[in-house]
Amino acid sequence: MIVRSYTGRTVPEALAKVRNDLGDQALIIETRSVKEPGLLGRKCGYEVVAARDDSEVTPRKRTAITEVAEFSQERAPVATQATALARSDSANSAASTPVPRTAIEDELLAIRKQLARLAAGKVAPTAHLGEELASHLDEVELPAELIAEIDDALARAGERLDANRRREFVALLLARGLAEHRALDWSTCRRLLMVGPTGVGKTTTIAKLASDLVLTQRKRVALVTIDTYRVGATDQLRAYADLLDIPIEIAETPARLGEILRRFEHLDHVLIDTAGRSPADTARVHELKGFCRAAANLDVMLAVAATSGRAEFAAVVERFSVLPIAHTVITKLDECAAPGRLYGCLRRHRLPVNFLTTGQEVPRDIVAADPALVAERVLAPSAAVLC
């Protein structure tokens, strides 16, 4: 399946490019407004994502391919995907073109539809998903409203989508629904503070990152811990530091952390481990703000377990949002028996994830995050284990 993106000042203009490159049988996956870079960027046009079976595409002018645009973190939900390819003619005008709904409006609409189904005693529609795929998505705990949106997208695709490509199409819809995952730029991230709830695997993740930096990238690295609460926490991190032959320090206070960071200014990277804070313990979470202010250019990474329930995941994101979170790592993906639930949490909170950890082995069990990887995890057989 060929997937391409086209932009235009109006929706008809973008659709005309789709038709010119992929033909009238193209399947529209997503339509959304695009903005200039920055939080306050104004709308400057529209983007249409289209797909077609590569066996049916005839060679056309390659000028349309140059219109492919990078997707921003502001993704339209799956409910807006797979809309029918509109036919542009003289009767169509910019004034008559419906304005795409915002992500919040789409989410509210999906919630209202789901509440209406529940009130009527109806389950999420699955007629177009097929019994096997619908049963699997329910088994992995993908939220019912998302199952309904995927079924609706398949219904809109109709006969243009080959039955053998249904799973591939669903994987594409799931990946498009997540916030853009991004690789961590170590050239700008020199001081990294790892935060998160207790038992999420922060220390092990710190060790994995340090191992990659030292053994693979040949960087000069130091470890620091401010975890003076957990018995044996310092010993665990010291064992990793000894194996890597890198220095380790303990910072009991923000002032002490600032002093250590100044002393390690000549090193490439300093990774800082913290004690786990319960999301319910607001005071302890706020204590971390002092450490965040200990030095300039200190990046904060939030660690969240893939095994978290919906309420627990939401509580972690909410409580730790008082900190300047710049990066995210999802841990314990190998222990996650409900990847659909994890997908729903990532979709709801729009977290841009940098890393996924897939086991306890240091340094191997960590991978760069990828929306397609999460989507494949959702669709993988229940017994499958991510390697």
Side-chain angles (χ1 to χ4, degrees):
M1 179 176 291
I2 291 179
V3 180
R4 292 172 182 166
S5 175
Y6 305 84
T7 58
R9 289 171 296 179
T10 64
V11 173
E13 180 180 331
L15 290 174
K17 295 177 181 179
V18 173
R19 184 176 297 105
N20 181 61
D21 192 43
L22 299 181
D24 290 338
Q25 298 302 312
L27 180 65
I28 301 302
I29 296 174
E30 181 179 1
T31 302
R32 68 183 184 89
S33 59
V34 292
K35 295 163 51 176
E36 293 177 341
L39 295 175
L40 301 180
R42 64 181 187 275
K43 293 180 181 178
C44 59
Y46 297 93
E47 180 180 48
V48 174
V49 182
R52 183 170 177 176
D53 192 331
D54 51 2
S55 63
E56 300 178 2
V57 176
T58 56
R60 291 178 179 264
K61 289 186 284 186
R62 296 189 56 83
T63 54
I65 300 177
T66 61
E67 300 294 335
V68 175
E70 290 293 331
F71 289 96
S72 67
Q73 295 176 15
E74 185 180 319
R75 300 288 185 180
V78 180
T80 64
Q81 298 170 354
T83 55
L85 180 61
R87 292 184 175 276
S88 301
D89 52 35
S90 58
N92 289 335
S93 65
S96 63
T97 301
V99 177
R101 295 188 300 268
T102 65
I104 295 178
E105 290 171 338
D106 276 307
E107 184 174 355
L108 290 174
L109 179 60
I111 292 173
R112 284 196 294 268
K113 288 180 178 179
Q114 179 64 9
L115 290 175
R117 282 192 293 268
L118 293 175
K122 299 178 181 179
V123 296
T126 58
H128 300 88
L129 275 168
E131 182 178 351
E132 182 179 351
L133 184 54
S135 175
H136 173 76
L137 294 179
D138 182 65
E139 182 182 346
V140 298
E141 298 185 26
L142 187 71
E145 64 271 17
L146 298 185
I147 294 178
E149 289 180 4
I150 293 173
D151 188 77
D152 181 61
L154 290 171
R156 292 175 183 272
E159 297 180 354
R160 288 177 295 171
L161 180 64
D162 189 285
N164 297 327
R165 294 297 185 92
R166 183 183 293 115
R167 184 187 178 282
E168 180 183 351
F169 184 66
V170 172
L172 177 63
L173 293 179
L174 289 172
R176 297 288 186 191
L178 292 177
E180 183 180 15
H181 293 188
R182 60 194 181 195
L184 182 59
D185 185 0
W186 287 110
S187 65
T188 59
C189 178
R190 299 186 61 236
R191 308 291 181 257
L192 183 67
L193 180 76
M194 182 77 68
V195 302
T198 56
V200 76
K202 295 184 299 299
T203 303
T204 305
T205 302
I206 284 279
K208 292 174 182 177
L209 294 176
S211 298
D212 178 70
L213 288 170
V214 174
L215 302 177
T216 304
Q217 302 186 41
R218 304 298 180 184
K219 300 294 185 180
R220 298 171 300 167
V221 179
L223 299 181
V224 179
T225 179
I226 63 175
D227 186 355
T228 57
Y229 298 97
R230 186 162 54 95
V231 176
T234 303
D235 293 337
Q236 181 184 4
L237 197 63
R238 189 180 299 280
Y240 289 127
D242 290 341
L243 288 172
L244 296 172
D245 193 24
I246 58 177
I248 179 174
E249 293 286 350
I250 302 174
E252 301 86 354
T253 65
R256 173 63 175 159
L257 177 61
E259 177 187 333
I260 292 172
L261 292 179
R262 286 190 293 272
R263 183 150 49 88
F264 286 151
E265 183 64 32
H266 65 288
L267 298 180
D268 297 313
H269 302 285
V270 178
L271 307 183
I272 307 160
D273 192 20
T274 65
R277 262 69 172 180
S278 167
D281 193 344
T282 306
R284 285 285 177 86
V285 174
H286 278 271
E287 280 183 5
L288 292 172
K289 296 178 72 173
F291 287 96
C292 292
R293 293 191 293 263
N297 302 321
L298 187 63
D299 287 40
V300 182
M301 174 177 283
L302 175 64
V304 189
T307 54
S308 303
R310 293 186 182 92
E312 181 184 356
F313 198 104
V316 170
V317 173
E318 178 185 359
R319 293 299 186 185
F320 284 92
S321 64
V322 300
L323 305 176
I325 304 297
H327 313 287
T328 310
V329 55
I330 301 298
T331 63
K332 302 185 178 182
L333 187 61
D334 57 308
E335 301 177 21
C336 181
R341 182 181 63 205
L342 170 64
Y343 176 90
C345 292
L346 294 176
R347 164 82 176 268
R348 178 179 179 82
H349 298 287
R350 312 303 295 169
L351 285 181
V353 183
N354 304 95
F355 295 103
L356 303 168
T357 71
T358 59
Q360 294 294 315
E361 186 173 339
V362 178
R364 191 185 71 171
D365 294 335
I366 187 168
V367 296
D370 181 1
L373 182 62
V374 177
E376 285 298 324
R377 181 66 174 172
V378 172
L379 294 173
S382 301
V385 177
L386 185 65
C387 298

